[in-house]
Amino acid sequence: MITVTEPQIWTMIGAVIALMFGMLTAVSTLFVRVLRAEIGAVETKIGAVETKIETKIGAVETKIDVEIGGLETKIDVEIGGLRREMIQRFEAVDARFDAVNTRIDAVGSRIDGLDRDVQALVKRTFGLDRG
């Protein structure tokens, strides 16, 4: 049987241990490099997706701004038209009221004249004007 006291055995044990540590170092280094490369690729893809999303969101915001601007313009035009129409109708109503007021004034002056005539007739009929 071989005893573990011989130098060749210790040399072989040292060489195997060194090879194991070397392989462990090489494998872990390569694993870290592959992991970093894959993480970099994922980051690139995420960046591309982020850019696409930002572009689409910007396009949607632009469309919304254009639509809102168009709606604001339409609303302003409609409100302006409604305002003009209301002003015209109010002016027409004012003109009618002025015509009615003129007629009422004419009727009032006629009534005043009629009242004066009736008073004169009453005074003449009942002899109140002779004193």
Side-chain angles (χ1 to χ4, degrees):
M1 173 165 259
I2 301 177
T3 60
V4 188
T5 58
E6 296 184 22
Q8 290 92 3
I9 298 287
W10 285 106
T11 304
M12 288 296 283
I13 290 173
V16 168
I17 289 174
L19 280 173
M20 286 178 65
F21 277 117
M23 287 297 290
L24 183 66
T25 303
V27 168
S28 64
T29 304
L30 290 174
F31 178 74
V32 168
R33 284 185 183 179
V34 168
L35 192 62
R36 283 185 184 163
E38 291 300 320
I39 288 174
V42 168
E43 286 177 350
T44 303
K45 287 181 181 179
I46 289 174
V49 168
E50 184 180 11
T51 303
K52 284 182 182 178
I53 288 173
E54 287 175 355
T55 303
K56 288 187 179 188
I57 288 174
V60 168
E61 286 176 346
T62 303
K63 284 182 181 179
I64 289 173
D65 289 344
V66 167
E67 289 294 323
I68 288 175
L71 287 174
E72 286 176 346
T73 303
K74 285 180 182 179
I75 289 172
D76 289 344
V77 167
E78 290 295 323
I79 288 175
L82 182 62
R83 183 177 289 135
R84 283 188 297 277
E85 184 178 342
M86 287 177 65
I87 289 171
Q88 289 172 353
R89 290 193 179 195
F90 281 132
E91 287 174 352
V93 168
D94 286 343
R96 286 184 180 176
F97 277 135
D98 289 342
V100 168
N101 283 338
T102 303
R103 286 183 179 178
I104 288 175
D105 289 342
V107 168
S109 65
R110 284 183 182 174
I111 289 175
D112 289 342
L114 206 84
D115 185 40
R116 191 178 51 242
D117 292 342
V118 168
Q119 283 180 2
L121 285 174
V122 167
K123 284 182 183 178
R124 189 181 235 183
T125 305
F126 292 113
L128 297 174
D129 60 343
R130 295 181 202 159

